[in-house]
C-alpha cells in the first residue's frame, strides 16, 4: 500500500497489493493516466500523455482524460459531475487546489462505506478541486488498503459561493485506454436475480440503472470491462461496485477516440440536490477492483474486501447458523403448535435457528394488511412472541423474526393514524404493489417510529435474528414534506434515513444477526451488507435456478453473504422436481438453511438433511471464510456448473449437472489454486492425487443417471 505525490512530475501514484492507479496534474487539471497491474513508482514520465495528443476537430483538451469529466474544455462525453449553477448554466471548471495524504480511512457522513480497524491498515489521498467562477469545491477521496486489493473512491461537493446551486449528477468516473472490451453486468428480475451477462462494448453509451429506490432485482450496482479473451482464471478485469442500496446508474461511455469512461453513481433520473451557500453533499462510495487474473481473481479480491471491510460487527467473522424458515412450509397458515412441530424436527437434525417469517403480527393472514402494526397476533400465537421464543430456545434453537419495517399497508392502524407518512404525490393515486405503500423513511418521525416499534419487539422477546424485508419498489417516490424545488431529493433522503435507522437498530442489538431481503435478492449490494452481513439471495429456491443465481452473485459477493435454502418439491417457483441431495449441495453454496416442513420428508431425505447439516457444520469455516472459485459457468454450458472452496488445507468441490445425457462424453472439472506437488485426498471417494493432476487433468465428472444430479468432494492436503 502506497500513495506518493511527485512534485516534479506532478504525478499521484497509488499502489494497492497488485494494482497501480495514477493521476497527473496538468495546467491545474486532474487527469487520469493509468489503472491496471502494479507498476514501479516513477520512471514512467516519458510515457505520460502521448496517447492523448495529436490532431482533432474538437479543442485540444477534448481528449484529455479528466478525472472528473464535466461540461468544460470541449469535452462532449458523459459528465460525472453536473451542476445547475446560480446563473442557470452547467459549466464546471475544476482546478487543483490542494491535497493531503492521511493514514486510515475516513467515514462518510450518514452513508455506509468501507472501513479499517487500525489507522495503519489504509492510506487515503484527498484532492481538493475548485471552480474559481462558481466557488464550487470538490474533494475526491481515494483509499488503498494494506491487506486488501480494492480502491475506494468518493466525492464530496461543497457550495463555496453565496448563491444556491443544484447538484444534478455525481458519479465516479474512470477512463480506460481505447481497446477491445466486453461489458460484464448482472441482469435479472424477481426470482432470477444477477444472471451474468457479457456483451460487446458498443460505440456509444451503455448503461444499467435502477430508479426503483432500491438497487433492485433488475440490475445490480456492478459493472466491469473485460477483454474478449478474459476467462474465469486469466485476463484483465476492471470492475466497479457501489456502496449504496438505492437507485443508481452504472455506465460505460465510449467517446470518439474509443476510450471508454466507466461511471457509477446516483441515478440522475430520480436525483438532484439543492446546495445552499456552505452546504456539502457526500456522494456514495464506489469500489474499484482491477484483476489481472480473470473473474475468479476479481471475486477473490471482492469477497475478501466485503467480508472484512464492508461487513461489520459480531457476526462478521462468526460461523453463520443453519436456519429453518417457515415461509415456504406454512406461508401465513400457522399457529404455535404447527411452528413448534417444524422447529422440533429442525432441532433434532441439528439446525441452530428457527425463523418465523411473515404473518405473526396485526391481523395478517394474507398479504393485504397490517404492515406497520408490529404487534403480535395472539390469536395465532397465544402468549406472544416471548413464550414462543422461549419454547424454541428450550429446543436448543435461536429464534428469528421477519419484519418489513419500511412499509405500510393501507389497511393498518399505522396508515389510519398517519396517512401522510407514505411516499406519494398529492392529488395522485398512490400506486400499490403487493397491496402496500412505502413509508417516507427520510422523515425523522418515521425513522423514530420504526426504531421504537422494532426495539419494543426485540427488547421483549429473546430474538437472535431479524429478516429485514422490503417487498416493493418506489412509484410516486416523493416526500410530502419537501418543497417543490427539493422533491427530487426524496429518494436519497429515504436512503439516508434508512441507513440511520439501520445504524441505530444494529448498534442497539449488536448480537442479533440481521439478514436483508427485498422480495428475495432485490437489494443485494455493499451498502446494505454494511449493516446486515447476509442477504436472502432470491425467492427462487429451485436448485437448477439457484445454480445460475448464485454463480452471478458470486462474481462480487462472498458466499457468507448469500442465504441459500433447501425447499420442497415440486418447487414453489418453477414446479420442478430436483433430487434432495442436489438441493442440499446447491444450498451449501451459501449460508445453508431449510425452508420446508421437515415432517413431510421421507426417512431417506431426512437422513440426507441430517448429513448435510453435519457436513455444513464441519466445513462451514471453509465455505464461509475460505476462497471461492467458479470452475464451470452454467450460462455457457446448458446449466452445468462447478465450484470450489478452499482454506489452503481443505478443498471442497461441488459439481452440478443440469440434464442427464445418453452417451455423454466424459468430462473433467479442473480445480484451481492448489499446490502442484502436494497430494490431496478425498477419503469418501478414495481419490488421492497431486494438486497438479487435479488442476490440469481435472476431476472426472461421474456419469449422470438422472437430471439435476450433483456431487460434493472434500479433499484434504496431506
Ligand atoms: C419476500 C421474501 O423474499 C420471502 O422470503 C418471504 O419473507 C416473503 N417476502 C414474506 O412476505
Amino acid at each position: 500500500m502506497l500513495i506518493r505525490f511527485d512534485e516534479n512530475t506532478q504525478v499521484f501514484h497509488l499502489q494497492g497489493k497488485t494494482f497501480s492507479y495514477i493521476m497527473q496534474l496538468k495546467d491545474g487539471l486532474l487527469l487520469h493516466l493509468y489503472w491496471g497491474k502494479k507498476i514501479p513508482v516513477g520512471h514512467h514520465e516519458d510515457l505520460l500523455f502521448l496517447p492523448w495528443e495529436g490532431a482533432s476537430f474538437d479543442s485540444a483538451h477534448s481528449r484529455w482524460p479528466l478525472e472528473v469529466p464535466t461540461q468544460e474544455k470541449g469535452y462532449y462525453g458523459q459528465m460525472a459531475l453536473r451542476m445547475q449553477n446560480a446563473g442557470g448554466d452547467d459549466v464546471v471548471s475544476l482546478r487543483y487546489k490542494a491535497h493531503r495524504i492521511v493514514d486510515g480511512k475516513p467515514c462518510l457522513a450518514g452513508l455506509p462505506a468501507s472501513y479499517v480497524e487500525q489507522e495503519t491498515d489504509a492510506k487515503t489521498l484527498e484532492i481538493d478541486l475548485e471552480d474559481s467562477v462558481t466557488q464550487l469545491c470538490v474533494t475526491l477521496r481515494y483509499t488503498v488498503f494494506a491487506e486488501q486489493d480494492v480502491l475506494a473512491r468518493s466525492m464530496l461537493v461543497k457550495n463555496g459561493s453565496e448563491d444556491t446551486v443544484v447538484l444534478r449528477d455525481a458519479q465516479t468516473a474512470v477512463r480506460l485506454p481505447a481497446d477491445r472490451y466486453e461489458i460484464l453486468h448482472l441482469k435479472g428480475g424477481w426470482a432470477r436475480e444477477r444472471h451474468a451477462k457479457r456483451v460487446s462494448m458498443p460505440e456509444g453509451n451503455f448503461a444499467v440503472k435502477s430508479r426503483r429506490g432500491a438497487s433492485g432485482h433488475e440490475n445490480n450496482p456492478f459493472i466491469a470491462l473485460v477483454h474478449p479473451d478474459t476467462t474465469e482464471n486469466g485476463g484483465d478485469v476492471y470492475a466497479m461496485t457501489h456502496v449504496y442500496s438505492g437507485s443508481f446508474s452504472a455506465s460505460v461511455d465510449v467517446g470518439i477516440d474509443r476510450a471508454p469512461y466507466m461511471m457509477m453513481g446516483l441515478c440522475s433520473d430520480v436525483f438532484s440536490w439543492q446546495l445552499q451557500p456552505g452546504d456539502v453533499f457526500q456522494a456514495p462510495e464506489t469500489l474499484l477492483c482491477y484483476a489481472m487474473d480473470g473473474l475468479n481473481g476479481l471475486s477473490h479480491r471482492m469477497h475478501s474486501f466485503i467480508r472484512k471491510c464492508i461487513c461489520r460487527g459480531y457476526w462478521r467473522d462468526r460461523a453463520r447458523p443453519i436456519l429453518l424458515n417457515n415461509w415456504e412450509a406454512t406461508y401465513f397458515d400457522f399457529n404455535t403448535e404447527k411452528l413448534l412441530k417444524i422447529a422440533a424436527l429442525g432441532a433434532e437434525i441439528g439446525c441452530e435457528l428457527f425463523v418465523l417469517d411473515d404473518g405473526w403480527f396485526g391481523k395478517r393472514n394474507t398479504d393485504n394488511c397490517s404492515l406497520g402494526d408490529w404487534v403480535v397476533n395472539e390469536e395465532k400465537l397465544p402468549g406472544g412472541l416471548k413464550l414462543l421464543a422461549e419454547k424454541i430456545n428450550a429446543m436448543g434453537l435461536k429464534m428469528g423474526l421477519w419484519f418489513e419495517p419500511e412499509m405500510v399497508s393501507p389497511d393498518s392502524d399505522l396508515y389510519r393514524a398517519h396517512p401522510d407518512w407514505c411516499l406519494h404525490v398529492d392529488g395522485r393515486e398512490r400506486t400499490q404493489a403487493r397491496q402496500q405503500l412505502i413509508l417516507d423513511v427520510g422523515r425523522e418521525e418515521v425513522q423514530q417510529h420504526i426504531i421504537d416499534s422494532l426495539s419494543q419487539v426485540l427488547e421483549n422477546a429473546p430474538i437472535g435474528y431479524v429478516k429485514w424485508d422490503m417487498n416493493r419498489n418506489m412509484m410516486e417516490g416523493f416526500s410530502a414534506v419537501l418543497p417543490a424545488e427539493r422533491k427530487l431529493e426524496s429518494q436519497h433522503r429515504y436512503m439516508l434515513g434508512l441507513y440511520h435507522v439501520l445504524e441505530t437498530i444494529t448498534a442497539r442489538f449488536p448480537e442479533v444477526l440481521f439478514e436483508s431481503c427485498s422480495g428475495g435478492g432485490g437489494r443485494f449490494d455493499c451498502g446494505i451488507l454494511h449493516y446486515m452481513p447476509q442477504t436472502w439471495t432470491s425467492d427462487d429456491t429451485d436448485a437448477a435456478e439457484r445454480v445460475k443465481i448464485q454463480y452471478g452473485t458470486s462474481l462480487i459477493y462472498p458466499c457468507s453473504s448469500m442465504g441459500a435454502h433447501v425447499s420442497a418439491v415440486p418447487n414453489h417457483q418453477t414446479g420442478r422436481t430436483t433430487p434432495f441431495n442436489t438441493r442440499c449441495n446447491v444450498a451449501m453454496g451459501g449460508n445453508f438453511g431449510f425452508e420446508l416442513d421437515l415432517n413431510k420428508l421421507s426417512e431417506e431425505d431426512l437422513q440426507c438433511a441430517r448429513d448435510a447439516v453435519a457436513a455444513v457444520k464441519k466445513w462451514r469455516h471453509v465455505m464461509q471464510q475460505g476462497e471461492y472459485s467458479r470452475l464451470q459457468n452454467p450460462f455457457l454450458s446448458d446449466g452445468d456448473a462447478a465450484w470450489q472452496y478452499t482454506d489452503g488445507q481443505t478443498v471442497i468441490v461441488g459439481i452440478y449437472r443440469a440434464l442427464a445425457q445418453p452417451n455423454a462424453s466424459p468430462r473433467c472439472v479442473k480445480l484451481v489454486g492448489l499446490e502442484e506437488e502436494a497430494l490431496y485426498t478425498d477419503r469418501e471417494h478414495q481419490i488421492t492425487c497431486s494438486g497438479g493432476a487435479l488442476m490440469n487433468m481435472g476431476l472426472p465428472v461421474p456419469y449422470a443417471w438422472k437430471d439435476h444430479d450433483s456431487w460434493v468432494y472434500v479433499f484434504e492436503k496431506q
Side-chain angles (χ1 to χ4, degrees):
M1 154 184 89
L2 172 148
I3 299 180
R4 190 65 57 79
F5 179 63
D6 184 325
E7 288 285 348
N8 290 328
T9 59
Q10 300 280 289
V11 166
F12 294 99
H13 191 142
L14 293 85
Q15 273 186 348
K17 283 172 91 172
T18 64
F19 72 86
S20 285
Y21 189 96
I22 304 178
M23 295 169 283
Q24 188 184 29
L25 296 171
K26 193 166 164 98
D27 300 347
L29 288 161
L30 181 64
L31 304 179
H32 179 81
L33 295 189
Y34 177 77
W35 176 33
K37 192 170 179 190
K38 185 165 161 177
I39 57 175
V41 175
H43 306 294
H44 47 53
E45 293 71 30
D46 293 347
L47 304 176
L48 302 183
F49 268 110
L50 295 180
W52 296 288
E53 288 171 354
S56 165
F57 170 81
D58 294 322
S59 98
H61 288 96
S62 67
R63 295 192 295 164
W64 281 24
L66 299 170
E67 183 70 0
V68 185
T70 59
Q71 158 86 313
E72 73 152 334
K73 286 280 182 202
Y75 170 76
Y76 291 106
Q78 185 180 330
M79 290 175 257
L81 178 67
R82 210 154 52 88
M83 302 297 303
Q84 186 180 332
N85 296 322
D89 65 281
D90 65 354
V91 180
V92 177
S93 294
L94 294 173
R95 295 296 177 272
Y96 171 81
K97 210 173 155 223
H99 77 269
R100 299 162 293 284
I101 298 171
V102 297
D103 285 337
K105 166 80 176 51
C107 303
L108 303 192
L111 284 168
S114 56
Y115 71 98
V116 286
E117 282 160 317
Q118 313 286 338
E119 292 264 286
T120 48
D121 289 346
K123 275 193 186 300
T124 299
L125 166 66
E126 297 184 339
I127 305 177
D128 299 331
L129 307 171
E130 193 183 41
D131 182 320
S132 60
V133 175
T134 60
Q135 273 82 51
L136 183 80
C137 307
V138 169
T139 299
L140 302 174
R141 282 205 183 112
Y142 301 83
T143 301
V144 286
F145 299 80
E147 299 301 330
Q148 303 290 340
D149 216 10
V150 167
L151 175 71
R153 256 187 78 170
S154 66
M155 173 159 70
L156 184 84
V157 180
K158 180 174 178 191
N159 178 9
S161 75
E162 300 295 315
D163 300 307
T164 298
V165 296
V166 180
L167 176 63
R168 295 259 185 244
D169 219 339
Q171 308 259 330
T172 294
V174 184
R175 181 157 139 151
L176 294 178
D179 206 337
R180 285 185 65 217
Y181 296 101
E182 290 177 349
I183 297 170
L184 177 67
H185 64 108
L186 297 171
K187 188 79 191 165
W190 173 78
R192 63 179 154 76
E193 296 89 339
R194 290 171 298 286
H195 280 209
K197 299 283 171 196
R198 201 162 152 168
V199 294
S200 296
M201 184 178 80
E203 296 212 7
N205 192 280
F206 174 94
V208 289
K209 60 184 174 181
S210 161
R211 56 185 177 86
R212 294 168 171 270
S215 44
H217 297 91
E218 198 178 341
N219 291 305
N220 194 260
F222 158 76
I223 197 160
L225 283 176
V226 299
H227 292 302
D229 57 359
T230 297
T231 63
E232 290 286 7
N233 299 311
D236 290 327
V237 185
Y238 303 87
M240 278 187 169
T241 42
H242 213 196
V243 189
Y244 190 65
S245 319
S247 299
F248 72 93
S249 154
S251 57
V252 176
D253 190 56
V254 185
I256 46 174
D257 54 5
R258 297 185 183 80
Y261 257 116
M262 294 176 75
M263 294 199 198
M264 171 80 71
L266 297 165
C267 178
S268 58
D269 296 2
V270 283
F271 168 80
S272 81
W273 200 269
Q274 195 186 73
L275 292 168
Q276 302 284 344
D279 280 0
V280 293
F281 179 84
Q282 175 64 63
E285 184 168 273
T286 304
L287 305 175
L288 278 65
C289 183
Y290 164 76
M292 75 296 288
D293 41 8
L295 300 175
N296 277 325
L298 167 73
S299 305
H300 297 162
R301 288 172 178 82
M302 286 307 302
H303 292 184
S304 165
F305 189 79
I306 291 173
R307 279 200 308 251
K308 294 292 183 197
C309 297
I310 292 290
C311 297
R312 296 177 295 171
Y314 181 85
W315 286 99
R316 188 186 75 167
D317 302 327
R318 284 190 159 73
R320 303 297 166 74
I322 296 173
L323 68 80
L324 170 58
N325 179 304
N326 77 310
W327 179 242
E328 288 197 15
T330 66
Y331 295 103
F332 294 100
D333 180 19
F334 59 81
N335 55 30
T336 304
E337 193 191 346
K338 215 173 184 178
L339 296 178
L340 291 179
K341 197 170 167 220
I342 297 171
L345 193 47
E348 197 257 292
I349 67 161
C351 294
E352 298 160 314
L353 167 68
F354 178 77
V355 180
L356 173 53
D357 212 283
D358 195 352
W360 57 266
F361 51 92
K363 56 182 177 78
R364 191 160 165 99
N365 292 315
T366 180
D367 60 10
N368 66 1
C369 69
S370 300
L371 294 172
D373 299 343
W374 301 110
V375 177
V376 69
N377 178 345
E378 295 231 15
E379 274 175 35
K380 272 177 163 175
L381 305 172
L385 288 171
K386 185 162 184 288
L387 189 65
L388 177 67
E390 283 169 356
K391 288 186 173 162
I392 298 283
N393 289 169
M395 295 174 181
L397 296 167
K398 284 194 183 295
M399 170 82 188
L401 200 59
W402 179 96
F403 290 92
E404 197 176 359
E406 299 153 68
M407 298 291 152
V408 63
S409 306
D411 181 5
S412 67
D413 293 343
L414 180 66
Y415 191 74
R416 283 182 279 276
H418 300 285
D420 62 318
W421 271 15
C422 63
L423 294 169
H424 68 276
V425 174
D426 277 339
R428 288 193 185 274
E429 188 192 333
R430 302 174 181 195
T431 304
Q432 295 184 27
R434 211 191 188 205
Q435 302 170 85
Q436 61 197 58
L437 297 166
I438 306 185
L439 289 170
D440 180 2
V441 183
R443 287 169 69 164
E444 275 177 31
E445 62 274 38
V446 174
Q447 294 160 23
Q448 201 52 50
H449 170 80
I450 296 174
I451 292 168
D452 291 346
S453 45
L454 261 68
S455 298
Q456 167 78 9
V457 176
L458 298 179
E459 274 157 8
N460 290 299
I463 306 295
Y465 162 106
V466 166
K467 178 173 175 185
W468 185 297
D469 208 345
M470 190 236 192
N471 279 308
R472 64 157 295 182
N473 292 145
M474 293 179 190
M475 186 49 59
E476 303 101 27
F478 295 95
S479 172
V481 292
L482 289 176
E485 63 279 13
R486 285 192 179 271
K487 282 285 185 207
L488 276 166
E489 297 178 13
S490 304
Q491 282 207 7
H492 186 60
R493 287 186 183 276
Y494 178 100
M495 293 314 305
L496 294 175
L498 175 63
Y499 290 141
H500 166 68
V501 169
L502 288 170
E503 186 71 43
T504 308
I505 292 276
T506 53
R508 192 173 285 178
F509 302 97
E511 292 189 17
V512 171
L513 173 60
F514 285 81
E515 175 155 355
S516 77
C517 175
S518 176
R523 199 163 56 180
F524 205 137
D525 54 67
C526 289
I528 216 77
L529 288 170
H530 193 57
Y531 305 93
M532 309 194 246
Q534 54 192 62
T535 298
W536 176 226
T537 311
S538 176
D539 273 350
D540 194 339
T541 55
D542 172 63
E545 294 288 310
R546 271 297 182 125
V547 162
K548 293 183 183 153
I549 294 167
Q550 291 173 196
Y551 172 93
T553 306
S554 77
L555 279 169
I556 287 293
Y557 304 102
C559 301
S560 59
S561 67
M562 287 189 230
H565 301 171
V566 176
S567 63
V569 289
N571 177 268
H572 294 193
Q573 293 77 38
T574 61
R576 185 179 286 127
T577 295
T578 53
F580 193 83
N581 74 316
T582 288
R583 281 176 270 153
C584 292
N585 291 345
V586 172
M588 283 184 204
N591 290 321
F592 186 87
F594 296 96
E595 186 152 340
L596 44 67
D597 186 347
L598 293 164
N599 296 288
K600 295 185 176 156
L601 292 182
S602 67
E603 242 333 295
E604 190 188 345
D605 286 353
L606 195 59
Q607 186 53 43
C608 187
R610 254 188 218 105
D611 295 344
V613 166
V616 169
K617 284 185 179 167
K618 189 163 178 197
W619 305 122
R620 67 181 149 191
H621 64 285
V622 185
M623 301 191 285
Q624 291 171 4
Q625 302 294 334
E627 190 171 85
Y628 173 89
S629 305
R630 292 168 302 275
L631 305 178
Q632 191 177 11
N633 179 344
F635 296 101
L636 299 179
S637 53
D638 294 333
D640 293 353
W643 55 91
Q644 168 195 311
Y645 305 93
T646 182
D647 63 353
Q649 173 59 35
T650 304
V651 185
I652 303 172
V653 181
I655 301 177
Y656 167 80
R657 284 284 157 268
L659 294 179
Q661 270 184 333
N663 197 12
S665 28
R667 294 190 208 171
C668 292
V669 165
K670 294 181 179 176
L671 277 49
V672 294
L674 310 186
E675 287 176 33
E676 295 270 349
E677 298 291 335
L679 289 183
Y680 294 82
T681 298
D682 177 320
R683 284 190 206 294
E684 189 190 332
H685 298 93
Q686 299 188 353
I687 304 172
T688 296
C689 284
S690 69
L694 287 168
M695 291 192 293
N696 296 296
M697 293 169 69
L699 184 62
V701 178
Y703 195 86
W705 283 104
K706 56 178 187 280
D707 290 347
H708 313 296
D709 217 347
S710 67
W711 304 268
V712 170
Y713 294 81
V714 180
F715 290 95
E716 287 293 344
K717 187 170 79 177
Q718 291 181 9

